[in-house]
Amino acid sequence: MHLKIMHYLISHQKSKTIPLFLFRISIGAFFFSSGFGKLFIPKNQMVMLETMIHAGIPYPNIMAVVVAGLETFGGFLLILGFFSRFFSLILFTISLTALLTVGLGQIPPGLNFLGWYSWLFYLPETLYMLILASLMIEGGGKFSLDSIISNKLSQPISATTPLKSEQPENC
């Protein structure tokens, strides 16, 4: 019994189904709620705009709305598992931009490599990027709309149903 469990945990492909589901749902919910707040809560809108201005992002008024919209929409679609790889890439890019423009500035200067590396992983953007990278590589997983659509599209067309081009024309 224990050997079967160990074999399943170590080598079975289905063992990544639950972690992918949890990654996708949690990161999607995070980005949805974060983006929603930046779009619809005036205090959060101001913080977002100030962050964009301070980071030197061009066209901060427009980019604040675009980024918040992409976070909201992309987060929602990640929850559903629809276009998971594409929106993981979009949200990865947003996280990378946040890391490079704001996050790295929070790391104290003068650290040795291990100290700097440790601080890098204290920054939330780094972990968001790791989760999003796994979703870019693996996709949305078994419990996603991507998987359902892919399975439907890969099913062969029934041989009893003639294709439109094979049906006789009425003259």
Side-chain angles (χ1 to χ4, degrees):
M1 176 79 164
H2 293 289
L3 289 176
K4 285 184 181 181
I5 293 171
M6 288 302 293
H7 176 71
Y8 179 82
L9 292 175
I10 293 171
S11 65
H12 204 276
Q13 283 292 82
K14 291 183 181 179
S15 64
K16 62 184 168 185
T17 299
I18 300 301
L20 278 175
F21 175 75
L22 293 174
F23 282 173
R24 186 173 50 78
I25 296 299
S26 62
I27 201 77
F30 164 74
F31 275 106
F32 175 78
S33 63
S34 175
F36 189 87
K38 293 171 191 172
L39 278 177
F40 298 109
I41 299 174
K43 182 179 176 184
N44 293 358
Q45 291 170 345
M46 290 307 301
V47 170
M48 178 69 164
L49 182 58
E50 289 170 6
T51 302
M52 292 277 190
I53 292 169
H54 178 71
I57 303 293
Y59 309 106
N61 291 330
I62 295 169
M63 291 306 294
V65 174
V66 169
V67 168
L70 285 170
E71 287 181 2
T72 306
F73 188 64
F76 180 72
L77 291 182
L78 272 184
I79 292 169
L80 298 176
F82 191 57
F83 289 113
S84 300
R85 284 187 167 107
F86 177 73
F87 280 102
S88 292
L89 175 62
I90 297 294
L91 296 172
F92 182 94
T93 304
I94 290 170
S95 296
L96 178 61
T97 303
L99 179 69
L100 295 175
T101 59
V102 178
L104 292 179
Q106 297 174 6
I107 298 176
L111 297 174
N112 63 22
F113 176 75
L114 288 177
W116 186 89
Y117 188 74
S118 176
W119 267 90
L120 178 66
F121 278 89
Y122 277 112
L123 299 174
E125 296 86 2
T126 305
L127 298 178
Y128 303 155
M129 290 167 50
L130 289 173
I131 292 170
L132 292 165
S134 70
L135 292 172
M136 285 188 290
I137 293 165
E138 296 292 335
K142 182 178 178 180
F143 304 120
S144 66
L145 285 178
D146 292 338
S147 178
I148 293 168
I149 292 168
S150 176
N151 290 338
K152 291 285 184 193
L153 291 175
S154 64
Q155 291 177 352
I157 298 174
S158 172
T160 59
T161 307
L163 297 174
K164 228 178 188 183
S165 61
E166 297 174 353
Q167 293 177 347
E169 291 185 31
N170 294 337
C171 295

